[in-house]
Every structure is written in C-alpha cells, then in structure tokens.
Amino acid sequence: DEAAVYDRQIRLWGLEAQQKMRNATILVVRLRGTATEAIKNIVLAGIGKLVVVDSEEVHEEDLGAGFFFRDEDVGTKRVDAAKVRIESLNPLVTVETKHDDSLLDRESLDALVMAVDLVCVTDWDRDGLSNINEVCRRFGKPFYAGGTFGLLGYIFCDLLKHDYISPDRSAPKEAPKNVKATALYPPLHMALRHRWSALSKRQTKELNPAVVHTILALWEYESQHQGKLPDSEDAVPELQSIANSVLEASDVNKQVLTAVPSELIGTACTSAAHEFSPVCAVVGGMLAQDILKALAAREAPIANFFTFDGNTGGGTVCRMNME
C-alpha cells in the first residue's frame, strides 16, 4: 500500500531515498506560515515522524498564511489546532505536538534534538537560531532555519559534513553518470562572519547583496529591540544605519553597492512584522524541498544561505563561509 502511495516519488529518486525519508524523524520549531508550507510538503512526501513544538496560541493574523487554522481556532494552542489537519494529509506519518515553553530550555532541548534526525526552526531570532544550531552540532544533527520578513524570506542550513550523489555532466557516455560528493557546512555564527571581498563585480551583483544585508540587518534590529521587528516608517533611519554597517563589515564590492537602497529599507520597515501567504509558500516550499534533498542525499542541497525577494520574485543562494 505504501509503495502505491509513494510510487511517483520512488520512480523519481529511488526506493533507497524514499526509505531514508520514511525512517526520518524531523523536529519543526514554531508553527507560522513558513513552517505550515514546509510541513505540508514533507508530510506528503512521506517522512516517518514529525515533531512540532510551538507554545503560542492562534491569533487572527495567523489565519492568512496558516492554512492549518480556522476562525474557531483563535485563542487555542497552534499545535492543538493543527495536529488533526497535519495528520489528515498523510495518515502514514506519525505526528507529535508539544506546546510547553520549557521544551526549549537547555536540558529539554538536548533531549528533543537527540531524539530526531533533523531540526528545522522557523521565524526565530538570530541569537536563538545560533544557540539551537550549536546544540544540533553537539549531537551531529543537520539544522535548517527559515522564515519571512514580510516580502523578504531566507533559508539557512548547516548540514555538517554532508555526503550526497551528484550528477556528473562532464562524464563520457560510457562512464558512471553520478559521482559521490561531500560538502562541509559552517554553523550560523561562522556563516555570519562571511566576507564578500573575494567575489568579482559580476558575482557580487548576481547574489543580490542588498536583500541579503537587509535580512541580516533585520536580525540585528530584532536583537537590539528584544525580539521586536520594525513596524512603521519611523524605523527607517535606524534600520538603514544598521544595514549599512552590516554591509560595510561584509566588505561588499563598492562598485556594486555602497549603501542598501532606501526603498528596500522602507518596504522592510512597513512589512517585516507581517506574513504574506505567497512569500511563505515560496520559502516554505523551498525549505521542504531542501530538507527532502538532504535526507535523500541524491542532490546537492542549498549551500548555504538562500534569500528570496518578493518585490521582484527572485531568489539567490549565497555561500557564506563555506569551504
């Protein structure tokens, strides 16, 4: 019966890859729009077990991008409202939900991480992501972070030392078409020290540094304001100053960018604290696709910081301090 359900996927990436997914337990922390889309896709793909941790209640604004929630769920715990709907997507997947605040305390987090194969944290602050990333490294678990700031979105991954099968397009006809490859990933705190000085003008432009540094600036703003994001144009001067400082520290080619555009900063200030369903769908879809790639080890995953600009519909992948 299972083979019939997953027949198309097995044809696509093989029985062994499907088996790896089927045996995987994935922890998802925080159930907002990005996580909703990612969970839908990984559950439909047939992972073995999903553990969702979120201590918050459903708010009216969650109804826009959180399609696991209904009007009558407002005021109830997010994970309680979503559990049955997640299970209905694929009865073959075991779904476990937790809404205790203390679960992310040191000892409880250690136990949570030890019990799973991969950790995905969404819409979290930079320092919190870095802490969870370090716990994952201690136990040798792959780590994903993803989220949106209004029209902007990001995915970061730390897959430690990741082996995967890569297509060899340069191989002669009679040679094997696939080769084994390895990628070494840095933790988030190391990735954030990345310097852009080695890139040419063209390479720098292709990576859209304005969007990357606006996201990094929003993380810094959030850190300086006890977890609050900018929510009006009043914050433009401060966010502009932070963004330009981050840009300067990154040593980005000045022929490409000397300051983050004020229009982008203005948009970020008015939209970053809100969720937009299409942006969550793109980022959450990419996040799920990459988690499945990492589990199947059939293709190269993101290396290692993906950004999405909903203003243009464009996305780029930036290698941040990767060997």
Side-chain angles (χ1 to χ4, degrees), residues 60-90:
E60 279 191 24
E61 54 265 33
D62 291 324
L63 301 175
F67 50 74
F68 292 138
F69 308 130
R70 305 291 181 270
D71 289 352
E72 61 270 21
D73 296 326
V74 173
T76 64
K77 291 291 186 184
R78 283 179 185 160
V79 288
D80 292 342
K83 187 173 190 287
V84 174
R85 293 178 187 122
I86 296 171
E87 288 172 332
S88 69
L89 290 172
N90 188 347

PDB file of all heavy atoms in Angstrom, residues 60-90:
ATOM      1  N   GLU A  60      -5.588  36.018  15.122  1.00  0.00           N
ATOM      2  CA  GLU A  60      -6.324  36.286  13.877  1.00  0.00           C
ATOM      3  C   GLU A  60      -5.389  36.437  12.687  1.00  0.00           C
ATOM      4  O   GLU A  60      -5.684  35.984  11.590  1.00  0.00           O
ATOM      5  CB  GLU A  60      -7.196  37.539  14.031  1.00  0.00           C
ATOM      6  CG  GLU A  60      -8.512  37.254  14.737  1.00  0.00           C
ATOM      7  CD  GLU A  60      -9.485  38.416  14.646  1.00  0.00           C
ATOM      8  OE1 GLU A  60      -9.361  39.220  13.697  1.00  0.00           O
ATOM      9  OE2 GLU A  60     -10.356  38.506  15.521  1.00  0.00           O
ATOM     10  N   GLU A  61      -4.223  37.077  12.918  1.00  0.00           N
ATOM     11  CA  GLU A  61      -3.291  37.281  11.804  1.00  0.00           C
ATOM     12  C   GLU A  61      -2.676  35.971  11.307  1.00  0.00           C
ATOM     13  O   GLU A  61      -2.133  35.915  10.211  1.00  0.00           O
ATOM     14  CB  GLU A  61      -2.204  38.297  12.171  1.00  0.00           C
ATOM     15  CG  GLU A  61      -1.435  37.999  13.427  1.00  0.00           C
ATOM     16  CD  GLU A  61      -2.011  38.709  14.653  1.00  0.00           C
ATOM     17  OE1 GLU A  61      -3.241  38.904  14.720  1.00  0.00           O
ATOM     18  OE2 GLU A  61      -1.217  39.058  15.539  1.00  0.00           O
ATOM     19  N   ASP A  62      -2.760  34.906  12.116  1.00  0.00           N
ATOM     20  CA  ASP A  62      -2.235  33.601  11.679  1.00  0.00           C
ATOM     21  C   ASP A  62      -3.109  32.968  10.593  1.00  0.00           C
ATOM     22  O   ASP A  62      -2.664  32.066   9.875  1.00  0.00           O
ATOM     23  CB  ASP A  62      -2.163  32.612  12.859  1.00  0.00           C
ATOM     24  CG  ASP A  62      -1.097  32.995  13.874  1.00  0.00           C
ATOM     25  OD1 ASP A  62      -0.037  33.492  13.456  1.00  0.00           O
ATOM     26  OD2 ASP A  62      -1.316  32.779  15.075  1.00  0.00           O
ATOM     27  N   LEU A  63      -4.348  33.405  10.500  1.00  0.00           N
ATOM     28  CA  LEU A  63      -5.296  32.765   9.578  1.00  0.00           C
ATOM     29  C   LEU A  63      -4.942  33.015   8.114  1.00  0.00           C
ATOM     30  O   LEU A  63      -5.326  32.251   7.239  1.00  0.00           O
ATOM     31  CB  LEU A  63      -6.725  33.249   9.853  1.00  0.00           C
ATOM     32  CG  LEU A  63      -7.258  32.998  11.277  1.00  0.00           C
ATOM     33  CD1 LEU A  63      -8.637  33.626  11.442  1.00  0.00           C
ATOM     34  CD2 LEU A  63      -7.315  31.509  11.587  1.00  0.00           C
ATOM     35  N   GLY A  64      -4.190  34.077   7.845  1.00  0.00           N
ATOM     36  CA  GLY A  64      -3.839  34.399   6.458  1.00  0.00           C
ATOM     37  C   GLY A  64      -2.907  33.383   5.836  1.00  0.00           C
ATOM     38  O   GLY A  64      -3.190  32.816   4.781  1.00  0.00           O
ATOM     39  N   ALA A  65      -1.761  33.134   6.486  1.00  0.00           N
ATOM     40  CA  ALA A  65      -0.763  32.224   5.914  1.00  0.00           C
ATOM     41  C   ALA A  65      -0.802  30.837   6.546  1.00  0.00           C
ATOM     42  O   ALA A  65      -0.198  29.902   6.023  1.00  0.00           O
ATOM     43  CB  ALA A  65       0.638  32.822   6.088  1.00  0.00           C
ATOM     44  N   GLY A  66      -1.498  30.693   7.660  1.00  0.00           N
ATOM     45  CA  GLY A  66      -1.544  29.390   8.344  1.00  0.00           C
ATOM     46  C   GLY A  66      -2.774  28.598   7.961  1.00  0.00           C
ATOM     47  O   GLY A  66      -3.813  28.660   8.625  1.00  0.00           O
ATOM     48  N   PHE A  67      -2.654  27.811   6.877  1.00  0.00           N
ATOM     49  CA  PHE A  67      -3.874  27.134   6.387  1.00  0.00           C
ATOM     50  C   PHE A  67      -4.277  25.916   7.212  1.00  0.00           C
ATOM     51  O   PHE A  67      -5.242  25.240   6.894  1.00  0.00           O
ATOM     52  CB  PHE A  67      -3.759  26.778   4.889  1.00  0.00           C
ATOM     53  CG  PHE A  67      -2.496  26.057   4.499  1.00  0.00           C
ATOM     54  CD1 PHE A  67      -2.292  24.718   4.809  1.00  0.00           C
ATOM     55  CD2 PHE A  67      -1.498  26.737   3.800  1.00  0.00           C
ATOM     56  CE1 PHE A  67      -1.136  24.063   4.437  1.00  0.00           C
ATOM     57  CE2 PHE A  67      -0.329  26.082   3.421  1.00  0.00           C
ATOM     58  CZ  PHE A  67      -0.147  24.737   3.740  1.00  0.00           C
ATOM     59  N   PHE A  68      -3.546  25.628   8.310  1.00  0.00           N
ATOM     60  CA  PHE A  68      -3.992  24.594   9.240  1.00  0.00           C
ATOM     61  C   PHE A  68      -4.984  25.155  10.254  1.00  0.00           C
ATOM     62  O   PHE A  68      -5.548  24.410  11.048  1.00  0.00           O
ATOM     63  CB  PHE A  68      -2.805  23.990  10.010  1.00  0.00           C
ATOM     64  CG  PHE A  68      -1.865  23.168   9.160  1.00  0.00           C
ATOM     65  CD1 PHE A  68      -0.498  23.266   9.328  1.00  0.00           C
ATOM     66  CD2 PHE A  68      -2.355  22.297   8.197  1.00  0.00           C
ATOM     67  CE1 PHE A  68       0.383  22.506   8.554  1.00  0.00           C
ATOM     68  CE2 PHE A  68      -1.490  21.540   7.418  1.00  0.00           C
ATOM     69  CZ  PHE A  68      -0.125  21.647   7.598  1.00  0.00           C
ATOM     70  N   PHE A  69      -5.196  26.486  10.242  1.00  0.00           N
ATOM     71  CA  PHE A  69      -6.041  27.122  11.251  1.00  0.00           C
ATOM     72  C   PHE A  69      -7.358  27.611  10.654  1.00  0.00           C
ATOM     73  O   PHE A  69      -7.429  27.961   9.476  1.00  0.00           O
ATOM     74  CB  PHE A  69      -5.304  28.320  11.882  1.00  0.00           C
ATOM     75  CG  PHE A  69      -3.933  27.990  12.406  1.00  0.00           C
ATOM     76  CD1 PHE A  69      -2.829  28.770  12.059  1.00  0.00           C
ATOM     77  CD2 PHE A  69      -3.736  26.893  13.234  1.00  0.00           C
ATOM     78  CE1 PHE A  69      -1.566  28.462  12.540  1.00  0.00           C
ATOM     79  CE2 PHE A  69      -2.473  26.569  13.709  1.00  0.00           C
ATOM     80  CZ  PHE A  69      -1.385  27.357  13.366  1.00  0.00           C
ATOM     81  N   ARG A  70      -8.411  27.632  11.507  1.00  0.00           N
ATOM     82  CA  ARG A  70      -9.727  28.137  11.120  1.00  0.00           C
ATOM     83  C   ARG A  70     -10.139  29.239  12.105  1.00  0.00           C
ATOM     84  O   ARG A  70      -9.558  29.376  13.177  1.00  0.00           O
ATOM     85  CB  ARG A  70     -10.772  26.997  11.155  1.00  0.00           C
ATOM     86  CG  ARG A  70     -10.410  25.777  10.320  1.00  0.00           C
ATOM     87  CD  ARG A  70     -10.460  26.070   8.825  1.00  0.00           C
ATOM     88  NE  ARG A  70     -10.135  24.876   8.036  1.00  0.00           N
ATOM     89  CZ  ARG A  70      -8.919  24.533   7.639  1.00  0.00           C
ATOM     90  NH1 ARG A  70      -7.881  25.300   7.973  1.00  0.00           N
ATOM     91  NH2 ARG A  70      -8.707  23.444   6.931  1.00  0.00           N
ATOM     92  N   ASP A  71     -11.168  29.968  11.764  1.00  0.00           N
ATOM     93  CA  ASP A  71     -11.631  31.070  12.629  1.00  0.00           C
ATOM     94  C   ASP A  71     -11.858  30.606  14.068  1.00  0.00           C
ATOM     95  O   ASP A  71     -11.508  31.295  15.019  1.00  0.00           O
ATOM     96  CB  ASP A  71     -12.943  31.660  12.082  1.00  0.00           C
ATOM     97  CG  ASP A  71     -12.725  32.455  10.805  1.00  0.00           C
ATOM     98  OD1 ASP A  71     -11.553  32.672  10.433  1.00  0.00           O
ATOM     99  OD2 ASP A  71     -13.720  32.864  10.165  1.00  0.00           O
ATOM    100  N   GLU A  72     -12.471  29.412  14.205  1.00  0.00           N
ATOM    101  CA  GLU A  72     -12.811  28.924  15.545  1.00  0.00           C
ATOM    102  C   GLU A  72     -11.584  28.508  16.362  1.00  0.00           C
ATOM    103  O   GLU A  72     -11.685  28.244  17.568  1.00  0.00           O
ATOM    104  CB  GLU A  72     -13.806  27.762  15.465  1.00  0.00           C
ATOM    105  CG  GLU A  72     -13.320  26.530  14.720  1.00  0.00           C
ATOM    106  CD  GLU A  72     -13.642  26.563  13.218  1.00  0.00           C
ATOM    107  OE1 GLU A  72     -13.881  27.663  12.673  1.00  0.00           O
ATOM    108  OE2 GLU A  72     -13.642  25.462  12.617  1.00  0.00           O
ATOM    109  N   ASP A  73     -10.408  28.457  15.713  1.00  0.00           N
ATOM    110  CA  ASP A  73      -9.186  28.060  16.433  1.00  0.00           C
ATOM    111  C   ASP A  73      -8.529  29.221  17.168  1.00  0.00           C
ATOM    112  O   ASP A  73      -7.621  29.011  17.973  1.00  0.00           O
ATOM    113  CB  ASP A  73      -8.155  27.466  15.457  1.00  0.00           C
ATOM    114  CG  ASP A  73      -8.641  26.181  14.795  1.00  0.00           C
ATOM    115  OD1 ASP A  73      -9.367  25.427  15.473  1.00  0.00           O
ATOM    116  OD2 ASP A  73      -8.303  25.952  13.622  1.00  0.00           O
ATOM    117  N   VAL A  74      -8.953  30.448  16.877  1.00  0.00           N
ATOM    118  CA  VAL A  74      -8.333  31.622  17.515  1.00  0.00           C
ATOM    119  C   VAL A  74      -8.456  31.487  19.028  1.00  0.00           C
ATOM    120  O   VAL A  74      -9.542  31.218  19.565  1.00  0.00           O
ATOM    121  CB  VAL A  74      -8.994  32.935  17.027  1.00  0.00           C
ATOM    122  CG1 VAL A  74      -8.471  34.132  17.816  1.00  0.00           C
ATOM    123  CG2 VAL A  74      -8.728  33.131  15.535  1.00  0.00           C
ATOM    124  N   GLY A  75      -7.306  31.627  19.710  1.00  0.00           N
ATOM    125  CA  GLY A  75      -7.296  31.502  21.169  1.00  0.00           C
ATOM    126  C   GLY A  75      -6.864  30.133  21.664  1.00  0.00           C
ATOM    127  O   GLY A  75      -6.542  29.967  22.839  1.00  0.00           O
ATOM    128  N   THR A  76      -6.859  29.128  20.771  1.00  0.00           N
ATOM    129  CA  THR A  76      -6.390  27.790  21.160  1.00  0.00           C
ATOM    130  C   THR A  76      -4.909  27.656  20.798  1.00  0.00           C
ATOM    131  O   THR A  76      -4.370  28.459  20.043  1.00  0.00           O
ATOM    132  CB  THR A  76      -7.189  26.678  20.449  1.00  0.00           C
ATOM    133  OG1 THR A  76      -6.952  26.768  19.020  1.00  0.00           O
ATOM    134  CG2 THR A  76      -8.679  26.809  20.714  1.00  0.00           C
ATOM    135  N   LYS A  77      -4.250  26.649  21.324  1.00  0.00           N
ATOM    136  CA  LYS A  77      -2.836  26.438  21.019  1.00  0.00           C
ATOM    137  C   LYS A  77      -2.668  26.076  19.539  1.00  0.00           C
ATOM    138  O   LYS A  77      -3.434  25.268  19.003  1.00  0.00           O
ATOM    139  CB  LYS A  77      -2.267  25.303  21.888  1.00  0.00           C
ATOM    140  CG  LYS A  77      -2.146  25.649  23.364  1.00  0.00           C
ATOM    141  CD  LYS A  77      -1.072  26.691  23.615  1.00  0.00           C
ATOM    142  CE  LYS A  77      -0.841  26.942  25.096  1.00  0.00           C
ATOM    143  NZ  LYS A  77       0.137  28.015  25.342  1.00  0.00           N
ATOM    144  N   ARG A  78      -1.669  26.672  18.908  1.00  0.00           N
ATOM    145  CA  ARG A  78      -1.442  26.421  17.478  1.00  0.00           C
ATOM    146  C   ARG A  78      -1.286  24.926  17.183  1.00  0.00           C
ATOM    147  O   ARG A  78      -1.868  24.410  16.228  1.00  0.00           O
ATOM    148  CB  ARG A  78      -0.178  27.145  17.014  1.00  0.00           C
ATOM    149  CG  ARG A  78      -0.318  28.633  16.784  1.00  0.00           C
ATOM    150  CD  ARG A  78       1.024  29.196  16.356  1.00  0.00           C
ATOM    151  NE  ARG A  78       0.998  30.638  16.224  1.00  0.00           N
ATOM    152  CZ  ARG A  78       2.087  31.398  16.251  1.00  0.00           C
ATOM    153  NH1 ARG A  78       3.274  30.846  16.404  1.00  0.00           N
ATOM    154  NH2 ARG A  78       1.997  32.703  16.125  1.00  0.00           N
ATOM    155  N   VAL A  79      -0.454  24.260  17.981  1.00  0.00           N
ATOM    156  CA  VAL A  79      -0.188  22.841  17.671  1.00  0.00           C
ATOM    157  C   VAL A  79      -1.423  21.973  17.870  1.00  0.00           C
ATOM    158  O   VAL A  79      -1.627  20.998  17.144  1.00  0.00           O
ATOM    159  CB  VAL A  79       0.998  22.287  18.502  1.00  0.00           C
ATOM    160  CG1 VAL A  79       2.311  22.862  18.015  1.00  0.00           C
ATOM    161  CG2 VAL A  79       0.811  22.523  19.988  1.00  0.00           C
ATOM    162  N   ASP A  80      -2.281  22.330  18.852  1.00  0.00           N
ATOM    163  CA  ASP A  80      -3.509  21.561  19.067  1.00  0.00           C
ATOM    164  C   ASP A  80      -4.463  21.725  17.889  1.00  0.00           C
ATOM    165  O   ASP A  80      -5.105  20.767  17.446  1.00  0.00           O
ATOM    166  CB  ASP A  80      -4.202  22.009  20.366  1.00  0.00           C
ATOM    167  CG  ASP A  80      -3.399  21.645  21.609  1.00  0.00           C
ATOM    168  OD1 ASP A  80      -2.512  20.772  21.503  1.00  0.00           O
ATOM    169  OD2 ASP A  80      -3.651  22.246  22.671  1.00  0.00           O
ATOM    170  N   ALA A  81      -4.542  22.965  17.395  1.00  0.00           N
ATOM    171  CA  ALA A  81      -5.436  23.240  16.261  1.00  0.00           C
ATOM    172  C   ALA A  81      -4.955  22.559  14.987  1.00  0.00           C
ATOM    173  O   ALA A  81      -5.750  22.096  14.169  1.00  0.00           O
ATOM    174  CB  ALA A  81      -5.532  24.747  16.037  1.00  0.00           C
ATOM    175  N   ALA A  82      -3.637  22.468  14.821  1.00  0.00           N
ATOM    176  CA  ALA A  82      -3.086  21.973  13.556  1.00  0.00           C
ATOM    177  C   ALA A  82      -2.936  20.453  13.494  1.00  0.00           C
ATOM    178  O   ALA A  82      -2.923  19.881  12.402  1.00  0.00           O
ATOM    179  CB  ALA A  82      -1.719  22.612  13.321  1.00  0.00           C
ATOM    180  N   LYS A  83      -2.828  19.790  14.635  1.00  0.00           N
ATOM    181  CA  LYS A  83      -2.435  18.370  14.655  1.00  0.00           C
ATOM    182  C   LYS A  83      -3.310  17.481  13.763  1.00  0.00           C
ATOM    183  O   LYS A  83      -2.808  16.740  12.911  1.00  0.00           O
ATOM    184  CB  LYS A  83      -2.459  17.840  16.095  1.00  0.00           C
ATOM    185  CG  LYS A  83      -1.885  16.413  16.229  1.00  0.00           C
ATOM    186  CD  LYS A  83      -1.777  16.023  17.700  1.00  0.00           C
ATOM    187  CE  LYS A  83      -1.001  14.733  17.882  1.00  0.00           C
ATOM    188  NZ  LYS A  83      -1.723  13.529  17.469  1.00  0.00           N
ATOM    189  N   VAL A  84      -4.613  17.553  13.927  1.00  0.00           N
ATOM    190  CA  VAL A  84      -5.513  16.682  13.162  1.00  0.00           C
ATOM    191  C   VAL A  84      -5.410  16.969  11.667  1.00  0.00           C
ATOM    192  O   VAL A  84      -5.427  16.056  10.841  1.00  0.00           O
ATOM    193  CB  VAL A  84      -6.981  16.858  13.634  1.00  0.00           C
ATOM    194  CG1 VAL A  84      -7.928  16.073  12.744  1.00  0.00           C
ATOM    195  CG2 VAL A  84      -7.122  16.402  15.078  1.00  0.00           C
ATOM    196  N   ARG A  85      -5.246  18.248  11.324  1.00  0.00           N
ATOM    197  CA  ARG A  85      -5.168  18.612   9.897  1.00  0.00           C
ATOM    198  C   ARG A  85      -3.847  18.168   9.283  1.00  0.00           C
ATOM    199  O   ARG A  85      -3.800  17.808   8.111  1.00  0.00           O
ATOM    200  CB  ARG A  85      -5.392  20.121   9.738  1.00  0.00           C
ATOM    201  CG  ARG A  85      -6.833  20.486  10.124  1.00  0.00           C
ATOM    202  CD  ARG A  85      -7.171  21.958  10.046  1.00  0.00           C
ATOM    203  NE  ARG A  85      -8.506  22.147  10.606  1.00  0.00           N
ATOM    204  CZ  ARG A  85      -8.798  22.935  11.629  1.00  0.00           C
ATOM    205  NH1 ARG A  85      -7.839  23.633  12.221  1.00  0.00           N
ATOM    206  NH2 ARG A  85     -10.027  23.033  12.068  1.00  0.00           N
ATOM    207  N   ILE A  86      -2.782  18.191  10.067  1.00  0.00           N
ATOM    208  CA  ILE A  86      -1.498  17.675   9.561  1.00  0.00           C
ATOM    209  C   ILE A  86      -1.615  16.160   9.353  1.00  0.00           C
ATOM    210  O   ILE A  86      -1.203  15.631   8.316  1.00  0.00           O
ATOM    211  CB  ILE A  86      -0.342  18.001  10.546  1.00  0.00           C
ATOM    212  CG1 ILE A  86      -0.136  19.513  10.655  1.00  0.00           C
ATOM    213  CG2 ILE A  86       0.955  17.333  10.077  1.00  0.00           C
ATOM    214  CD1 ILE A  86       0.835  19.933  11.757  1.00  0.00           C
ATOM    215  N   GLU A  87      -2.193  15.483  10.327  1.00  0.00           N
ATOM    216  CA  GLU A  87      -2.343  14.016  10.236  1.00  0.00           C
ATOM    217  C   GLU A  87      -3.192  13.615   9.036  1.00  0.00           C
ATOM    218  O   GLU A  87      -2.933  12.596   8.396  1.00  0.00           O
ATOM    219  CB  GLU A  87      -2.974  13.476  11.522  1.00  0.00           C
ATOM    220  CG  GLU A  87      -2.038  13.502  12.709  1.00  0.00           C
ATOM    221  CD  GLU A  87      -2.729  13.154  14.023  1.00  0.00           C
ATOM    222  OE1 GLU A  87      -3.954  13.399  14.144  1.00  0.00           O
ATOM    223  OE2 GLU A  87      -2.038  12.668  14.933  1.00  0.00           O
ATOM    224  N   SER A  88      -4.202  14.428   8.710  1.00  0.00           N
ATOM    225  CA  SER A  88      -5.097  14.078   7.604  1.00  0.00           C
ATOM    226  C   SER A  88      -4.400  14.159   6.246  1.00  0.00           C
ATOM    227  O   SER A  88      -4.848  13.554   5.268  1.00  0.00           O
ATOM    228  CB  SER A  88      -6.333  14.986   7.607  1.00  0.00           C
ATOM    229  OG  SER A  88      -5.973  16.307   7.252  1.00  0.00           O
ATOM    230  N   LEU A  89      -3.282  14.904   6.173  1.00  0.00           N
ATOM    231  CA  LEU A  89      -2.535  14.997   4.911  1.00  0.00           C
ATOM    232  C   LEU A  89      -1.955  13.653   4.512  1.00  0.00           C
ATOM    233  O   LEU A  89      -1.895  13.308   3.339  1.00  0.00           O
ATOM    234  CB  LEU A  89      -1.387  16.011   5.040  1.00  0.00           C
ATOM    235  CG  LEU A  89      -1.742  17.487   5.155  1.00  0.00           C
ATOM    236  CD1 LEU A  89      -0.492  18.292   5.482  1.00  0.00           C
ATOM    237  CD2 LEU A  89      -2.369  17.999   3.859  1.00  0.00           C
ATOM    238  N   ASN A  90      -1.486  12.895   5.522  1.00  0.00           N
ATOM    239  CA  ASN A  90      -0.855  11.602   5.249  1.00  0.00           C
ATOM    240  C   ASN A  90      -0.916  10.745   6.503  1.00  0.00           C
ATOM    241  O   ASN A  90      -0.076  10.872   7.396  1.00  0.00           O
ATOM    242  CB  ASN A  90       0.601  11.810   4.819  1.00  0.00           C
ATOM    243  CG  ASN A  90       1.250  10.520   4.328  1.00  0.00           C
ATOM    244  OD1 ASN A  90       0.714   9.434   4.522  1.00  0.00           O
ATOM    245  ND2 ASN A  90       2.396  10.633   3.698  1.00  0.00           N
TER     246      ASN A  90
END
